Amino acid sequence: MISRPKGTNDILPDEIWRWHKLEAMIRKECACFGFKEIRTPIFEETHLFQRSIGEATDIVEKEMYTFLDKGGRSMTLRPEGTAAVVRAFVENNLKGAGLPAKLYYLGPMFRYERPQAGRYRQFHQFGIECFGSLEPALDAEVIMLAHELYQKIGVKDVVLKINSIGCPDCRPKYLEKLRSELAKYKDRLCENCQRRSITNPLRVLDCKEEKCQEVIADLPHLQDYLCDECSLHFTNLKKILDIWELPYVEEPRLVRGFDYYTKTVFEFCFDDLGAQNAIGAGGRYDKLVEEIGGESTPAVGFAMGMERTLLAVGDKWQKEPEIDLYIVSIGQETKEEALRQLLLARRHGIRTEMDILNRSVKAQFKQADRLDTKYCLILGPDELKDNRVKLRNMQSGEESEYQISEWLGGLKL
Ligand code: AMP
């Protein structure tokens, strides 16, 4: 037997309603906030990700699905959404349509990670990207949408963590300090961090290894190195969050796995998920559009992990019935009429099923129950002779008889 690739999932018909519901909530919220959908290719030229995410990040170093196409070009299955959206923003001159540009996307992402609960090699993200302002109001817009969405989805205990990681003016001073501090404790760091302390020292702050955590606890805080502009930006963002009474926790050690972030970074955590508890994250990237070849345009984005969000929802959502009507035919002579009524009902947009396995009447009712139908249309031979049918409301048990041309009027959906 051929199995699915490690770290991937089949989303089965029985659970797809949860995805549809989440997607519908996402689309509704995006419409409410004025974000428009953008769909970009699932693969891009490899150097787009190398240049934007950064060469010395885990994703680019070891997690990308990269391949040569038949023309010998290096392509990569997208590991995240921002780089591709920025590329599309520049290539299609979306700035020309006016700023702010507010975009959203939904779809699969690919990272060659070690699979575990909540961590997959193919997973889905919903993301938003908002272009066009240096003001903290832009960061706040993105954070507010994410917050509101989690509340509506029913993941109320989500914790918002925020931090500022500075800009190219102030961060280098901190990185220099960090490198020299880390050099002192080199022997106490894990192998990965020994390497990162030279190539990308900010990433050390994100290490979960216990021995590294001990070192990290004593390292200087980036916030003490922020320039006036970054510091004011962070203070003003917090003011807006306070006005809206959105709860947040300042997390001075919070950094992200991408090099493109400037100033604000944030994460939404849901503790019940264990190790993989981040259900969404984002930040500001004021230099990325320029780096990808566009005119300098500041921007902020957010991405939600859809699998993890659904794990956080757990069994809080109730499945809605998937059919409205089941046609029960009693005896062979009613089958022809049942077929006519089936087509008629479907043409009226009524979600309808009937038996096509030649089941007994008892088995047909059992199937109707299993499908959780709202109504049964019952075709009995005696009634049919008088052109009459019965309609049973499966919730109340109430049954009424109709002329065959009139039963549709008895449905209350
Ligand atoms: P990132 O793009 O790394 O900022 O991740 C944004 C969100 O995507 C995370 O908070 C997770 O919820 C989700 N995510 C990232 N990597 C994975 C993965 N390998 N499997 C499942 N979800 C993921």
Side-chain angles (χ1 to χ4, degrees):
M1 194 196 59
I2 302 174
S3 316
R4 61 178 182 268
K6 197 171 162 192
T8 65
N9 295 299
D10 296 315
I11 303 173
L12 299 175
D14 233 20
E15 50 190 338
I16 198 72
W17 67 273
R18 291 161 58 77
W19 286 81
H20 289 166
K21 187 171 165 123
L22 178 59
E23 287 159 13
M25 285 172 146
I26 286 170
R27 291 186 194 284
K28 195 166 170 202
E29 205 61 24
C30 283
C32 190
F33 278 72
F35 281 76
K36 292 210 174 78
E37 187 177 2
I38 182 165
R39 298 187 188 181
T40 63
I42 267 173
F43 61 94
E44 296 274 351
E45 290 185 20
T46 301
H47 69 252
L48 170 68
F49 301 116
Q50 286 167 334
R51 199 188 303 172
S52 55
I53 298 172
E55 296 275 4
T57 56
D58 283 355
I59 293 183
V60 172
E61 273 180 354
K62 49 188 187 203
E63 294 172 3
M64 294 207 302
Y65 279 90
T66 297
F67 59 97
L68 288 181
D69 72 7
K70 301 272 186 240
R73 289 171 287 257
S74 179
M75 297 289 166
T76 295
L77 298 185
R78 62 182 184 196
E80 57 105 47
T82 304
V85 172
V86 172
R87 198 247 334 115
F89 175 81
V90 173
E91 192 171 339
N92 298 288
N93 187 27
L94 299 186
K95 197 173 183 173
L99 296 176
K102 297 159 80 172
L103 308 173
Y104 81 92
Y105 59 85
L106 283 169
M109 305 292 160
F110 307 85
R111 294 184 197 171
Y112 192 80
E113 292 198 81
R114 198 151 41 82
Q116 63 182 87
R119 191 162 74 191
Y120 315 105
R121 289 182 175 168
Q122 175 174 337
F123 58 98
H124 295 77
Q125 282 185 344
F126 149 64
I128 56 179
E129 312 294 349
C130 199
F131 298 86
S133 173
L134 287 163
E135 291 298 315
L138 202 75
D139 313 51
E141 175 97 344
V142 168
I143 293 176
M144 190 213 223
L145 187 152
H147 171 88
E148 287 301 293
L149 189 56
Y150 286 125
Q151 296 305 302
K152 288 187 185 148
I153 287 170
V155 186
K156 301 215 187 267
D157 299 335
V158 72
V159 178
L160 166 63
K161 298 178 181 172
I162 59 171
N163 192 21
S164 175
I165 58 165
C167 67
D169 287 335
C170 54
R171 203 187 310 154
K173 268 184 241 126
Y174 176 70
L175 293 182
E176 202 180 304
K177 177 76 181 161
L178 199 56
R179 276 199 185 92
S180 68
E181 286 296 306
L182 289 170
K184 288 188 209 159
Y185 305 112
K186 189 164 176 257
D187 301 340
R188 290 171 54 195
L189 296 172
C190 73
E191 220 173 278
N192 232 343
C193 285
Q194 291 191 8
R195 195 170 43 83
R196 285 184 187 138
S197 63
I198 297 158
T199 58
N200 196 347
L202 218 49
R203 297 292 308 142
V204 174
L205 301 182
D206 210 20
C207 185
K208 305 282 181 288
E209 294 270 334
E210 208 173 301
K211 61 182 186 176
C212 296
Q213 283 290 327
E214 285 168 17
V215 175
I216 293 165
D218 293 331
L219 292 173
H221 283 190
L222 210 163
Q223 284 189 20
D224 298 331
Y225 287 74
L226 293 182
C227 60
D228 289 349
E229 189 193 311
C230 287
S231 182
L232 184 66
H233 186 274
F234 194 46
T235 306
N236 286 339
L237 169 62
K238 288 184 282 184
K239 269 192 200 151
I240 303 177
L241 298 180
D242 289 339
I243 291 171
W244 288 332
E245 296 178 7
L246 298 196
Y248 59 86
V249 181
E250 279 186 63
E251 186 77 48
R253 305 287 183 209
L254 181 67
V255 289
R256 311 286 348 283
F258 308 95
D259 282 357
Y260 52 63
Y261 285 124
T262 49
K263 297 194 169 78
T264 316
V265 290
F266 58 92
E267 200 163 82
F268 287 89
C269 293
F270 186 74
D271 277 344
D272 288 359
L273 291 184
Q276 302 304 322
N277 67 353
I279 58 173
R284 176 173 274 279
Y285 50 92
D286 289 339
K287 306 290 172 198
L288 187 57
V289 178
E290 223 172 320
E291 263 162 44
I292 289 182
E295 258 173 70
S296 169
T297 314
V300 188
F302 158 79
M304 163 196 277
M306 294 174 73
E307 282 83 356
R308 283 189 207 170
T309 300
L310 286 173
L311 282 171
V313 169
D315 55 11
K316 281 198 211 75
W317 290 348
Q318 274 249 310
K319 188 175 177 182
E320 305 274 331
E322 282 168 351
I323 75 162
D324 303 312
L325 181 73
Y326 192 91
I327 301 176
V328 175
S329 47
I330 304 172
Q332 281 306 317
E333 63 266 48
T334 63
K335 290 279 183 211
E336 262 185 36
E337 195 52 51
L339 284 169
R340 275 188 214 105
Q341 298 307 315
L342 174 69
L343 182 60
L344 177 80
R346 286 180 175 167
R347 281 193 174 154
H348 277 82
I350 297 158
R351 299 172 302 172
T352 311
E353 291 287 349
M354 68 172 266
D355 171 49
I356 46 175
L357 300 181
N358 246 332
R359 289 181 166 110
S360 69
V361 173
K362 197 172 154 202
Q364 289 181 51
F365 275 113
K366 212 166 153 191
Q367 177 69 354
D369 269 344
R370 207 182 62 81
L371 294 173
D372 200 17
T373 184
K374 292 180 192 159
Y375 289 92
C376 274
L377 182 72
I378 306 162
L379 274 61
D382 295 341
E383 290 96 336
L384 257 193
K385 277 189 200 121
D386 296 334
N387 279 330
R388 300 187 74 79
V389 292
K390 279 189 194 138
L391 190 64
R392 185 186 297 176
N393 180 326
M394 299 301 277
Q395 266 131 36
S396 66
E398 201 182 307
E399 209 170 87
S400 324
E401 221 175 78
Y402 290 89
Q403 279 293 321
I404 193 146
S405 55
E406 285 172 2
W407 66 267
L408 268 170
L411 291 180
K412 285 184 198 67
L413 298 173

